[in-house]
Amino acid sequence: MLQMRNAVALGLALSLAACGGSDSSSSPDPVVAGVNENAPEQTPPASPPGRQPKPDPEPEPLAGEGVIRVLSNRADLISGGDALIEIEPDNPANLQGATVWLGDREVTQQFQATGQNTLKGLLSGLALGDNELRVWLADNSYLLTTITNHPNGGPVFSGPQVQPWNCTNAQAVDDQCNQPPDYRFKYVPADKLQTYLASYDPDNVQPGLPDAFYPYDPENPPAEEDIAVVTTDEGHEVPFIVRVETGVQNRDRYQIMALYQPGQEWNALAPQEQWNGKVLVHHGGNVGVSYGMGHPPNGDISGTAPDGGELLLGDSITVALSRGFMTLSTAQANLGHNVNLVTAAESLMMAKERIVEQYGEIRYTIGTGCSGGAIAQQHIANAYPGIYQGLILQCSYPDVWTTATQFADYHLLNHHFGAEAPESADGFFEPMISLFESGLLPVQWPAFYGHLPVNPQVSDAAFFPSAYPDQADCPGLAGGAEVYDADTRPDGLRCGLLDYMISQFGPRAVENWSPNEQLLARGFGGIPLDNVGVQYGLRSLQNGVITGDQFLTANREIGGLNVDIDFQETRTVADPQALSNAYRTGAINTAEHLGNVAIMDLRGPDPGIAHDAYHSWQMRARLEATQGHVDNHVIWYGAAPLFGDTVYSTEALVVMDRWLANIEGDETASPVEAKVLAHKPPQARDRCLQTSSLFNPDGPIIPMTGNLLYPDPIIPGLDPTLLPPPPAESGLIVDAVSRQVCGLDLTALNEAGVPTELTAPLEAAVVDQQALIVQSRFGTPRTLAGDDIRTLTNKCRLRPVDPADYESPTVADPEAFAEEVAAIFPEGVCDYSQTPAGTLPTETWLHYGSADEVVYGGGPLPQDVPSSRQGWASPAFGLSF
C-alpha cells in the first residue's frame, strides 16, 4: 500500500510543470491576515502515512540525512502564508517515492524535481504561527523543519505597530490594508526623441516633462514597430514592456517592476528569460512620520526630480530595467514617509520574500537613493545585513541620529543668533538679517555652524519640524486621533520622530518624567542625543576667528531641548537607555557590519542644500575605524550639488553590477568581506573628474547629459564614440574644463617601472590639495567643538576645564578665561579622546516583540534556525542563515 501511494505521489510531483504559476497579468495572491486562523489543529503523522497496522511493532521512524531549505526567507520570519522550499536528501535515491506533509496534509503535489537530487516548490497554505513540514524518504526516514508564518499585514520582527493607521486603498479587505496585488503594463516607445518632443506642451503653465514610459494595454497593444526593443545584459532581445506589480504588505504599498512578455507564464521555478536574477531597490528622500499608507517612491535623486525628468537628470531605474534587472520599492522604506528604520527593513525583507516566491531566486540586490534613501541603505545594510549586496548612495548621510545631533545644534545656534526659520515665505531673508544684527561678521558665521548659513537655515526649515510631537498637520492621520499639545492635550498623539520609534529607544525613565509624563503615568520616547559639556566654537576660538566674549556668550546662552523638542535654558540631557539603544540597534550607524557590501557614494559640492559633502568622508572615517580600511567604499565627486553628475547614477549601476558579478563568480570559501575587496573592478575607484567617464569601458559617457546619450543616444545619428578623446593626462590629474585637480592615478607609472615610493609623495600631495580646494569639506558645530570627523559622540564624557584649551590670539589671560568657562560648565567639558557615553556594539537582526508585546531596544532572533534564505543571493554571498 505504501509503495503504491508513494509511486503515485512521485508521479504527480515529477509531472508538474511548475508551482505557483500565473497567467500573463497576474500572480498568486498573497494569503492575507486571518485566512488560516480557523484551520484545524494539525498533528504530524507518527510514522510514514499509508502504513497499515501489523501485529508486530515496527521500529520508530528515524531522522533522515539531508536538508529542507526555506529559500525565500528565514524559516521563522515567513509571512503571507507561502514559502519557496527546496528538499535535498544526502542520498538522491531517497527521493524515489518521497512524500511531503504540512502537518497532517499531504502537499507533495506542490513540489517538482529540479534535478536528480532535489525537489523544489512553492509551499502554500501555511497557518499563522508554527507549521511542521515533514518529508518522508524512500528509506522510511524523514526530514523535518518548522516554518513560522506571520500575517501579510505584519508585524514580523518589528513589534507592536504604529497606531492609529489609515488604510487609503479602496481595495482593502481588512484593517491591515490587505488587498490582492494589482498589475499594469507600460512601455518605452521606439522613437523616444520624437515622442518626447510631441508630448511637451509649452502652452501649459506648468508643462513638466514627459514620462519615459507610456501605458500599455495588453488587450489593445500598440503596433510592434512602435515599441522600443532592448537587449539585456545576458543577450536576450525583447520589447521594452514592463509589468508593474503593486500590492500591500506590512500595511503599506510595495512596487515590483520587470521586463515582461505578455502572454507568457512566469513563476518562481520558471522565470521569463529576460530577468537576469538581479534586483535594484530604489528609495525616497527626507525623514518623517506617517500614520497612514504611502506610495512606493520612483526616480533617482530620492525621487526629488520632476516626473519625466529621467532623460535629463539620469535614471538608473530605467537603465536597470533595460538590462534585465527587476526593480523594487516600498513605501515603508521611504524615510520621508516612515523614519522607523526597523519597519523599513522589515518591508524590504517581506518584499524580497515575495520576489523569491513569485518570480524566482535572486542573484544579488543593489540599493540606490539620495538623502533619506542613503540613510536607509546604510542603516539597513549595517543592522540587517543580507538585504543588500551593493549600495549606491547619493547626497548621503550615515544615519538619522548623529545627523539629528547636527541639526539640533543648528537649531539651537539659530535660536541663539535670532536666525530661526521664518514661519512663511515672506520672511525668507529674516534669518540672514538676524545674523548680521547678531554681532557676528559674515566671516565668523561658519565659526560656530561649521558651514555657510544656508545649510543651517535649510535644515531648520525642511528637516527639524519632523521632530516636533505637536505637529498640527500630522501626516497620514486623517482625523484618526487628536494630536498632542503640551498645554491643552497632554494625552494626545505625539506625532514626532522619538515616539514613532519608541520600540527601539524605549520610554524615558520615571525619574526624568516631565509634568505631562507624570500626569499620564508613562514615559514618552527617550532622547538619544545631548549637548552637555559641548564647547561651541572652541576651535574657532583657538584659531582666533571669534572673540572670547563671543565664545562665552554663545555657550552660556545656547540652552537645549526638552522632551517636547521645545527650547529650554538648560542643555539637552540624553536619556541613558535611549542613548545606549540608539547605538545597539544601529540607529547610530557605527559601520561595524558593512564589510560585506560594496559601496559607491556619489557626491556633489557644498552648499548642498543641507546635504554636506563632508558626510561622505564622515562615513569613510567610520569604516576606517571599524574595518581598518576603506577599500569597499568608493566616492565619485562631481560638479553638480547633491549627486555630482547626472550620469553618475547610471554609470555607477553598471560598475556596481560588474563588481557584484565578479564576487558572484568566486566559489571559494573565502569570507564575503575578502571577496568584496578581491573582486573590485578598476572602474570602482575614487574620482572627482567628470571627463574620466569618457574613458569608461562602458562609454564613453558624456558628463551632465543624464540619459539623453546613455545607455543609448536619444538623438538619432549622434554616436559618442566619434568624439575625439581628450589627452590622457586630463583624465588622470587635471580637468582643464572644471579646473579640478583630481582623479589621480599613477598606476601606469608604477606598471612602467617607477617605484611606488617615488609616486606616493606626489599622489599624497595632490590628494591633500584636492581635499582643501576641490571638495570644499565643511564642518559641523561638533567638529568645531573638538569632535573628530566621525562625529559619533551623541553624548560626551566630561573632563575638567583646562586653561591650555584657551590659548588664543583673542584671549589675553587663559587662566582667568578658564575660570569663566568653568562657571558655565561646572561638571566639566567634553573629552573627545574618550569613548562616547552609552556606546554599545551594534547588534544585527534584532526583533522588537510581537503585535501585542514590545521588546524595547530589541532582542536577538533565535540562533538555531534551520538552513534558510539562500534564495536572496547567489552562494558566493554566503546567505545561509
Side-chain angles (χ1 to χ4, degrees), residues 411-446:
H411 183 75
L412 292 172
L413 287 166
N414 285 340
H415 180 271
H416 171 68
F417 293 120
E420 293 107 323
E423 295 183 359
S424 68
D426 295 338
F428 179 79
F429 293 105
E430 290 177 3
M432 301 301 294
I433 295 172
S434 297
L435 281 173
F436 275 108
E437 295 176 346
S438 69
L440 288 181
L441 299 172
V443 71
Q444 293 177 314
W445 294 344

Side-chain angles (χ1 to χ4, degrees), residues 382-472:
N382 191 53
Y384 292 91
I387 289 179
Y388 308 99
Q389 282 68 59
L391 312 180
I392 299 175
L393 315 170
Q394 297 166 296
C395 39
S396 72
Y397 300 104
D399 57 49
V400 172
W401 292 100
T402 54
T403 304
T405 301
Q406 177 184 351
F407 288 175
D409 286 343
Y410 282 163
H411 183 75
L412 292 172
L413 287 166
N414 285 340
H415 180 271
H416 171 68
F417 293 120
E420 293 107 323
E423 295 183 359
S424 68
D426 295 338
F428 179 79
F429 293 105
E430 290 177 3
M432 301 301 294
I433 295 172
S434 297
L435 281 173
F436 275 108
E437 295 176 346
S438 69
L440 288 181
L441 299 172
V443 71
Q444 293 177 314
W445 294 344
F448 287 100
Y449 290 113
H451 203 290
L452 300 175
V454 61
N455 270 20
Q457 299 306 318
V458 171
S459 72
D460 224 14
F463 305 136
F464 197 79
S466 295
Y468 293 125
D470 55 353
Q471 298 175 46

Side-chain angles (χ1 to χ4, degrees), residues 679-699:
H679 300 290
K680 181 178 177 180
Q683 296 79 27
R685 65 175 180 87
D686 287 352
R687 75 181 204 207
C688 65
L689 187 62
Q690 293 82 12
T691 54
S692 64
S693 62
L694 294 170
F695 304 100
N696 193 297
D698 305 295

Side-chain angles (χ1 to χ4, degrees), residues 652-676:
L653 172 68
V654 176
V655 174
M656 179 61 74
D657 186 21
R658 180 175 296 115
W659 195 345
L660 299 184
N662 291 347
I663 298 169
E664 183 184 35
D666 187 340
E667 298 180 356
T668 68
S670 300
V672 177
E673 292 80 0
K675 295 178 183 179
V676 170

Side-chain angles (χ1 to χ4, degrees), residues 234-267:
E234 295 180 332
H236 299 291
E237 187 177 281
V238 292
F240 204 156
I241 301 170
V242 172
R243 190 179 78 168
V244 183
E245 175 189 338
T246 53
V248 173
Q249 293 177 316
N250 217 19
R251 305 189 305 172
D252 220 332
R253 296 180 177 93
Y254 69 86
Q255 174 185 278
I256 298 169
M257 297 192 292
L259 287 174
Y260 202 91
Q261 299 182 59
Q264 297 188 24
E265 191 173 353
W266 186 329
N267 60 69

Side-chain angles (χ1 to χ4, degrees), residues 809-852:
T810 63
V811 174
D813 184 350
E815 293 282 349
F817 192 84
E819 292 180 5
E820 295 188 70
V821 174
I824 299 172
F825 298 99
E827 297 177 356
V829 294
C830 285
D831 182 356
Y832 290 107
S833 68
Q834 295 190 58
T835 302
T839 52
L840 289 173
T842 297
E843 298 183 29
T844 63
W845 285 96
L846 294 177
H847 77 90
Y848 295 83
S850 64
D852 304 314

